[in-house]
């Protein structure tokens, strides 16, 4: 019943009755191709981008919804290449939180069955009127690609079958294999893999967390300042011995060096979180981890957009902001090229030309409405006016009732 109520609410707030053209003007556009436009204009009509450029180049269609984004930055929607099995997508709050923090597309493993016949059909959807990521299902055999550049080309004894072991044993074995590998051979393997056109989804955040205790970053997005998020992070903390932690910390540096060699040789690095942290926070932290490994903030941003779309085979419709592609993009309060943490400053999420305000939607979806995530002056003013109007109405009703009582006595 709650799922139906949420669906009705979302359909109302997303403006699905009138699918007007959307015009976003004034922002600095980082289109994902390597270019940027100051004071840009992006127009979305019928879910697809019809114009990208300056105000002089893009004429506003009649009846458009126009958003003045002056002082903001626009980037392509984030793409998480691997969030885990499709059955994990069915959690409503995780799906909404992931989307509201900027993930507009996610790859998920399926066993080949018809996804839309499962209980997750509402969340596993391409409908632009729902604030959940577009899911790109792929069958289990394709997951070998995620390890190809690491395991198949690495001079170790680790086999892909190891990945089917319990998570703890699997991670310990894989990370220790890096300590046994010859550094020169690893360097050659990284360069060879890059030349052969392989792409690497290192899931580096997951390995960082196994190597050392995780600490919440400063300046968390306001949607993450909730007990449920902190609890979810604590629940995912790995259990390892001191010896294992020491080995994995050393292995992490070797792994980072492999990523740097692979990337510098022209290899494609992409973001894949595998549910390492709270949905939404994980992809931002994965990009931060890639920067720690040697990528620039802009390169890490491409890993979560253009390169990720290429890896999932959806680059014709997503990954960059170009004419003909889906109108899936984010409006940020900070420039991610200066600091990758600015990808967290999500002000608006656009999916197929539908504009979503994360705090407003998240407030409505909270199980405990009293725990609001925003102290916006505008929303506070609206709430105050609504409360005042209610009090005035009640007072008027009381006054009318007293008058009627007095008249009846006469």
């Amino acid at each position: 019943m709650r799922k139906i109520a949420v669906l009705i609410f979302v359909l109302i707030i997303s403006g699905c009755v009138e699918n007007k053209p959307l015009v976003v003007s004034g922002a600095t556009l980082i289109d994902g191709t390597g270019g940027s436009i100051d004071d840009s204009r992006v127009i979305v009509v019928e879910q697809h981008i019809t114009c990208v450029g300056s105000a002089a180049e893009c004429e506003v269609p009649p009846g458009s919804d126009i958003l003045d984004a002056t002082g903001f930055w626009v980037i392509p929607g984030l793409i998480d290449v691997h969030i885990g099995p499709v059955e994990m997508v069915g959690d409503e709050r995780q799906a909404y939180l992931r989307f509201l923090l900027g993930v507009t597309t996610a790859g998920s493993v399926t066993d080949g069955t018809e996804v839309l016949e499962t209980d997750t059909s509402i969340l596993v959807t391409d409908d632009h009127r729902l604030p959940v990521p577009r899911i790109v299902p792929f069958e289990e055999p394709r997951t070998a690609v995620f390890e190809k550049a690491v395991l198949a080309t690495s001079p170790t004894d680790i086999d892909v079958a190891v990945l089917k072991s319990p998570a703890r044993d699997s991670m310990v074995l894989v990370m220790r294999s890096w300590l046994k590998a010859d550094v020169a051979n690893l360097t050659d393997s990284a360069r060879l893999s890059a030349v052969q056109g392989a792409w690497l989804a290192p899931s580096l955040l997951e390995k960082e967390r196994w190597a050392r205790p995780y600490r919440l970053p400063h300046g968390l997005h306001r949607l993450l300042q909730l007990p449920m998020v902190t609890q979810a992070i604590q629940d995912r903390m790995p259990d390892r011995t001191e010896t294992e932690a020491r080995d994995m910390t050393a292995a992490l540096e070797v792994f980072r060096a492999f990523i740097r060699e692979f990337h510098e040789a022209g290899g494609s690095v992409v973001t894949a979180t595998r549910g390492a942290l709270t949905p939404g926070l994980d992809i931002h932290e994965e990009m931060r981890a890639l920067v720690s490994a040697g990528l620039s903030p802009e390169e890490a941003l491409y890993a979560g957009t253009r390169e990720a779309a290429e890896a999932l085979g959806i680059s014709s419709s997503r990954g960059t902001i170009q004419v003909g592609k889906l109108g899936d993009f984010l409006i940020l309060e900070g420039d991610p090229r200066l600091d990758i943490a600015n990808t967290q400053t999500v002000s608006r999420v656009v999916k197929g030309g539908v504009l979503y305000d994360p705090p407003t939607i998240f407030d409505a979806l909270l199980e405990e409405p009293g725990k609001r995530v925003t102290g916006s002056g505008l929303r506070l003013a609206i709430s105050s006016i609504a409360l005042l109007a209610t009090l005035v109405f009640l007072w008027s009703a009381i006054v009318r009732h007293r008058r009627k009582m007095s008249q009846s006595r006469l």
Side-chain angles (χ1 to χ4, degrees), residues 167-187:
R168 179 185 181 284
D169 297 337
S170 172
M171 184 59 67
V172 172
L173 287 171
V174 170
M175 292 298 283
R176 279 179 169 168
S177 73
W178 289 92
L179 292 179
K180 299 176 183 178
D182 181 86
V183 175
N185 286 340
L186 277 179
T187 299

Side-chain angles (χ1 to χ4, degrees), residues 150-151 154 156 158 170-183 186 202-212 240 242-260 292-293:
V150 179
L151 300 181
S154 177
T156 69
I158 298 298
S170 172
M171 184 59 67
V172 172
L173 287 171
V174 170
M175 292 298 283
R176 279 179 169 168
S177 73
W178 289 92
L179 292 179
K180 299 176 183 178
D182 181 86
V183 175
L186 277 179
S203 298
L204 188 54
L205 171 64
E206 183 181 34
K207 296 172 178 64
E208 279 190 352
R209 291 181 54 255
W210 277 90
R212 59 173 63 93
R240 67 256 195 246
E242 291 185 11
T243 301
E244 290 169 344
R246 184 173 59 251
D247 288 348
M248 287 189 284
T249 297
L252 178 63
E253 296 309 314
V254 178
F255 188 57
R256 284 174 170 168
F258 180 92
I259 294 173
R260 285 194 296 272
S292 297

Side-chain angles (χ1 to χ4, degrees), residues 280-291:
L281 172 61
D282 49 15
I283 193 167
H284 296 281
E285 283 292 88
E286 178 69 13
M287 289 188 288
R288 189 271 313 153
L290 292 177
V291 171

Side-chain angles (χ1 to χ4, degrees), residues 204-341:
L204 188 54
L205 171 64
E206 183 181 34
K207 296 172 178 64
E208 279 190 352
R209 291 181 54 255
W210 277 90
R212 59 173 63 93
Y214 178 76
R215 296 288 182 267
L216 283 172
H218 294 292
L220 278 176
H221 190 287
R222 52 187 174 275
L223 298 190
L224 292 167
Q225 297 172 358
L226 295 168
M228 73 162 196
V229 174
T230 303
Q231 184 61 45
I233 291 173
Q234 296 303 321
D235 288 347
R236 289 180 169 88
M237 291 306 294
D239 176 23
R240 67 256 195 246
T241 66
E242 291 185 11
T243 301
E244 290 169 344
R246 184 173 59 251
D247 288 348
M248 287 189 284
T249 297
L252 178 63
E253 296 309 314
V254 178
F255 188 57
R256 284 174 170 168
F258 180 92
I259 294 173
R260 285 194 296 272
E261 292 290 343
F262 177 83
H263 179 258
E264 290 172 4
S268 174
V269 180
V270 304
T271 47
T273 65
R274 305 191 186 206
L277 272 180
T278 296
L281 172 61
D282 49 15
I283 193 167
H284 296 281
E285 283 292 88
E286 178 69 13
M287 289 188 288
R288 189 271 313 153
L290 292 177
V291 171
S292 297
L295 276 69
S296 70
E298 191 165 5
E299 290 167 342
L301 177 62
Y302 294 155
T305 53
R306 179 187 67 203
E307 301 301 315
E310 289 280 357
L312 285 177
I314 56 173
S315 59
S316 62
S317 62
R318 278 157 277 187
T320 58
I321 300 177
Q322 294 176 284
V323 173
K325 294 194 175 184
L326 288 169
D328 294 2
F329 51 87
L330 311 180
I331 300 174
L332 307 179
E333 297 174 8
D335 189 345
R337 297 169 299 182
L338 301 179
D339 185 349
I340 195 61

